[in-house]
Amino acid sequence: PPRSTLFPYTTLFRSPSGAVDILIPLRADGSKNGNWELKFALRSIERNLRGFRKIWIVSETPPLGFEQFGFIRSADDRPRKQMNIHRAITAALRHREIAEEVIFWADDNVLLSPLDVRELPVAARTDGLLGFPGGDDARVWHRSLRQTGEALRAKGLPAVNYEAHTPVRFNREKYLALENEFDFESGVGFCYISLYFNYHGVGKTVPMREVKATAEGKAFDPAALKGKLFAGYNDTGLGSGMAEELRRRFPERSRYETAPSSVEYYPVPPKLGAVIGTFGTPFYVELQLAALARWNPMPVLVVDDGSGDPELPRICAKYGAEFLPLTRRHGHCAGDLQIFAAGLE
């Protein structure tokens, strides 16, 4: 584990007073779009956000094709997404170089207009946490919202829904103090943003719909972004027009992108993948995976023709590629056919 996890966090704070850092947790295997979302989040931050000191990525492995950020290691080893993100946040906040104030930023959040970190709004939803179903047949996300509301109500606190999926600012000591009050490993996990603002209180809030546009449907209208400070989206929204809009708004690469090509190969994330066949040649497999991650990110399957090479699973895990070891060797021609069939399947 990193050194910062071995000592009480109160002994590790060394960052300048008043600094504000950006904190972006990522899944260990990145996104299914080759961290396309991260690229445009970083472009929007570089162009529009003022007053921050440093960007930190929190993940199990650093994302390929990016650099000039701080990196903090945190494993995705908990059963729920909310638990993993909370662990990523606390791992970052216990790091000896992190700022006293951080802005938690999801990779699919985009800042559309200039903003100073001192003016970051707190967005609230109109549907309260206790209005969601909590039964076993309910969606896990709804159960998490409900569980959060009930935990707050048990302490006599309000249960406002702050899960607007916009960037939010956390104070390091205040966030870490929540671990003394709530068991983040219980049930389906807590909504950490709503816990933070309901527990510590917040001054002025703004309705989510005033500051944020969301592109998550099969029809996308660029006019929906007009006058909004933030935009959020999912894979469906990307494919229905959000990708083109983001490329139009943020055509210039940020300083965080290291892939040498300035060309976008695909207007939307590609619906194709690569299959690499091998017989125990880890060096060449890693070379191909590194090239794909750098220039043409896409899902990858590596098929090994029964070599039993112990390095291949590790290399595939490093680059987020699927690994399929054939149970016996088929040889040069028959092995190729087995690899083609595995890729099609």
Side-chain angles (χ1 to χ4, degrees):
R3 181 178 183 274
S4 58
T5 64
L6 303 179
F7 302 92
Y9 71 85
T10 53
T11 68
L12 296 177
F13 294 163
R14 298 290 186 272
S15 61
S17 177
V20 178
D21 286 347
I22 308 296
L23 187 62
I24 306 178
L26 289 180
R27 283 176 40 175
D29 55 355
S31 75
K32 66 175 63 176
N33 304 314
N35 283 323
W36 200 92
E37 300 89 340
L38 176 63
K39 177 169 64 175
F40 282 90
L42 293 172
R43 290 185 184 187
S44 75
I45 292 170
E46 184 173 77
R47 174 187 289 185
N48 288 325
L49 190 64
R50 300 290 178 267
F52 72 95
R53 183 186 65 151
K54 186 174 183 178
I55 291 179
W56 296 85
I57 303 294
V58 189
S59 184
E60 192 165 348
T61 58
L64 295 170
F66 301 88
E67 62 180 30
Q68 296 193 45
F69 53 77
F71 177 73
I72 299 170
R73 194 173 305 280
S74 180
D76 290 339
D77 56 4
R78 311 312 302 154
R80 301 293 184 192
K81 176 181 178 181
Q82 296 295 97
M83 297 177 185
N84 283 317
I85 297 179
H86 167 71
R87 283 167 63 93
I89 295 172
T90 54
L93 294 178
R94 289 189 172 102
H95 192 278
R96 63 189 306 167
E97 297 177 14
I98 204 75
E100 294 178 0
E101 300 281 330
V102 299
I103 296 178
F104 167 74
W105 200 293
D107 61 345
D108 55 358
N109 287 161
V110 178
L111 179 59
L112 301 175
S113 303
L115 178 71
D116 189 279
V117 295
R118 296 170 296 181
E119 299 171 352
L120 182 71
V122 177
R125 297 176 61 99
T126 57
D127 43 358
L129 297 172
L130 294 171
F132 289 90
D136 292 341
D137 58 342
R139 290 174 53 192
V140 172
W141 175 239
H142 290 171
R143 290 162 59 193
S144 181
L145 290 163
R146 177 78 185 200
Q147 177 177 294
T148 303
E150 290 177 349
L152 289 164
R153 181 173 61 180
K155 293 182 179 293
L157 297 169
V160 178
N161 185 352
Y162 292 105
E163 305 304 316
H165 200 57
T166 58
V168 293
R169 182 164 170 167
F170 293 141
N171 174 272
R172 183 177 53 197
E173 293 190 29
K174 286 184 177 180
Y175 189 96
L176 291 173
L178 295 176
E179 293 207 307
N180 298 325
E181 302 293 332
F182 301 97
D183 179 9
F184 284 86
E185 300 289 313
S186 66
V188 292
F190 287 115
C191 301
Y192 37 85
I193 296 174
S194 291
L195 275 188
Y196 180 88
F197 287 120
N198 282 295
Y199 185 82
H200 291 295
V202 60
K204 183 179 179 181
T205 63
V206 296
M208 178 189 73
R209 296 186 184 278
E210 286 188 10
V211 294
K212 180 196 174 189
T214 302
E216 296 182 346
K218 294 182 179 180
F220 172 71
D221 181 7
L225 305 183
K226 185 177 180 180
K228 297 296 191 292
L229 187 60
F230 299 107
Y233 56 91
N234 60 9
D235 293 337
T236 302
L238 275 181
S240 63
M242 187 62 172
E244 289 86 347
E245 179 66 16
L246 290 177
R247 292 182 64 198
R248 185 186 69 80
R249 285 175 176 255
F250 304 103
E252 298 178 359
R253 290 151 49 94
S254 72
R255 66 179 181 271
Y256 306 102
E257 298 170 50
T258 59
S261 174
S262 62
V263 176
E264 290 283 354
Y265 288 104
Y266 313 109
V268 296
K271 295 181 179 179
L272 62 140
V275 181
I276 299 174
T278 186
F279 176 74
T281 56
F283 175 83
Y284 297 111
V285 170
E286 180 158 17
L287 182 63
Q288 291 197 1
L289 290 174
L292 284 167
R294 193 173 179 90
W295 291 300
N296 254 1
M298 64 177 70
V300 184
L301 170 68
V302 175
V303 184
D304 178 61
D305 190 24
S307 76
D309 190 296
E311 285 295 296
L312 289 173
R314 180 190 64 80
I315 292 170
C316 291
K318 175 181 176 182
Y319 291 90
E322 288 190 63
F323 177 60
L324 176 62
L326 301 182
T327 56
R328 65 181 179 86
R329 185 180 182 186
H330 295 79
H332 185 61
C333 296
D336 284 348
L337 294 176
Q338 290 287 332
I339 290 163
F340 298 155
L344 293 172
E345 290 174 357

